[in-house]
Amino acid sequence: MKIVVIGGTGLIGSKLVQKLREQGQEVVAASPSSGVNSITGEGLANALKGASVAVDVTNSPSWEDAAVMKFFDTSTRNLLGYEAAAGVGHHIALSVVGTDRMLESGFFRAKLVQENLIKASSIPYSIVRATQFFEFAKSIADFSTEGNTVRMPPVLFQPMAAEDVAGAVDRIVMGPPVNGTVEIGGPEQFRLDELIRRYLAATEDPRQVISDPHARYYGIAVSERMLVPDDGARRGETRFEDWLSQAMKQAPKATLQPK
Ligand SMILES: NC(=O)c1ccc[n+]([C@@H]2O[C@H](COP(=O)([O-])OP(=O)(O)OC[C@H]3O[C@@H](n4cnc5c(N)ncnc54)[C@H](OP(=O)(O)O)[C@@H]3O)[C@@H](O)[C@H]2O)c1
């Protein structure tokens, strides 16, 4: 089976490509650096020739409202058009749990446009909505930092390891199209403020986390269950503390701390 992973050099894409290759699949890791560009269309026809499955794990280089909308709209239309022409039988895209609840954000408005284009296309599909990756804990803190403080709302949060996201997408690649949306999340629920506090303490980051019900998450007003999946969601196995101790062994503390 030939599988094309668009965004195959990214955080999730590179892990997915490795897993698929370990199973002996023929995989194309497609990205601008390998001459495949979902915005311009460059290299897409060739990459998708003879492919059974296409996985879209791209992300926009800019998260500015207009730029991110242009990215996901153009990229998704191009991918679906070239995939239809190549006879691809399964389009898989990675999205985010709660996308339709966070439309205050331009990023999530763009992800919803991506999802809706996929649902409206003729290609059998699976949309995988994942919760936030553990790997983004620092970025979440950075976004809400003022001076030495990080204001965080104490809402429920169920993040997961990027490795488990790739594992879940891998299983979807190997199965039939769902023609719907699958939710995946981490094995444990936390309070967002508590998780960020634990992350900063473990990485010896001096910033203080202030719990504030009115604080925003990436600039969005969030409520108790907005970031967590429904009860039926598939769960990753990796616990936060295990991921954190592994990450600390692999990366010097300085790279986990703010610049
Ligand atoms: N962050 C979270 O917590 C979270 C949670 C749930 C879902 N997601 C979703 O997961 C997806 C993947 O995220 P990620 O963190 O793995 O992304 P990432 O590490 O930023 O990787 C993005 C990938 O997209 C590629 N790309 C960028 N522009 C492209 C273009 N014009 N044509 C083809 N490829 C292009 C990049 O290629 P180059 O390396 O060549 O630039 C790279 O391979 C995103 O759609 C995101 O919305 C994220």
Side-chain angles (χ1 to χ4, degrees):
M1 180 156 83
K2 179 179 170 185
I3 301 151
V4 182
V5 179
I6 304 114
T9 52
L11 176 63
I12 303 302
S14 56
K15 293 178 190 299
L16 176 63
V17 165
Q18 190 185 346
K19 283 179 192 297
L20 291 166
R21 286 193 177 141
E22 280 166 8
Q23 295 161 54
Q25 304 296 341
E26 182 190 348
V27 186
V28 177
S31 74
S33 52
S34 66
V36 183
N37 192 317
S38 61
I39 297 298
T40 62
E42 180 198 354
L44 274 180
N46 198 35
L48 290 165
K49 206 171 171 184
S52 307
V53 181
V55 186
D56 181 3
V57 278
T58 58
N59 210 350
S60 173
S62 164
W63 289 13
E64 184 273 320
D65 282 4
V68 74
M69 180 61 81
K70 190 160 183 242
F71 180 89
F72 280 112
D73 185 51
T74 308
S75 173
T76 307
R77 285 178 196 277
N78 279 338
L79 290 176
L80 293 169
Y82 280 95
E83 286 171 31
V88 170
H90 189 183
H91 177 91
I92 300 169
L94 187 58
S95 191
V96 189
V97 163
T99 288
D100 49 332
R101 298 190 284 263
M102 296 190 278
L103 300 178
E104 195 184 340
S105 145
F107 183 85
F108 292 102
R109 291 196 294 275
K111 291 298 287 185
L112 194 62
V113 163
Q114 177 191 21
E115 290 190 0
N116 287 338
L117 286 168
I118 294 166
K119 288 176 184 171
S121 89
S122 59
I123 303 171
Y125 70 94
S126 304
I127 294 170
V128 182
R129 280 186 171 184
T131 57
Q132 293 66 35
F133 313 153
F134 293 152
E135 284 79 356
F136 276 79
K138 178 178 176 297
S139 155
I140 292 169
D142 290 352
F143 197 90
S144 297
T145 295
E146 271 179 37
N148 195 40
T149 61
V150 184
R151 279 185 189 277
M152 282 285 136
V155 295
L156 288 173
F157 197 55
Q158 196 178 326
M160 64 191 297
E163 190 67 35
D164 289 345
V165 177
V169 176
D170 176 19
R171 285 189 285 280
I172 297 282
V173 170
M174 290 303 152
V178 174
N179 290 318
T181 302
V182 171
E183 284 192 329
I184 57 174
E188 308 159 283
Q189 281 193 351
F190 302 89
R191 294 279 163 187
L192 177 56
D193 54 338
E194 181 55 27
L195 184 105
I196 299 300
R197 195 174 286 119
R198 275 161 75 169
Y199 177 83
L200 296 182
T203 55
E204 295 176 15
D205 188 312
R207 288 177 286 178
Q208 296 294 313
V209 176
I210 297 174
S211 305
D212 176 355
H214 302 295
R216 291 177 163 247
Y217 164 81
Y218 275 121
I220 313 163
V222 281
S223 56
E224 180 73 352
R225 298 196 57 82
M226 208 153 145
L227 302 174
V228 293
D230 288 341
D231 290 342
R234 301 177 191 184
R235 289 183 175 222
E237 288 176 357
T238 311
R239 292 182 173 274
F240 179 66
E241 290 299 336
D242 296 333
W243 171 82
L244 190 56
S245 54
Q246 200 58 35
M248 301 285 289
K249 270 185 223 152
Q250 284 169 358
K253 282 203 181 84
T255 66
L256 295 166
Q257 281 178 0
K259 291 197 177 90

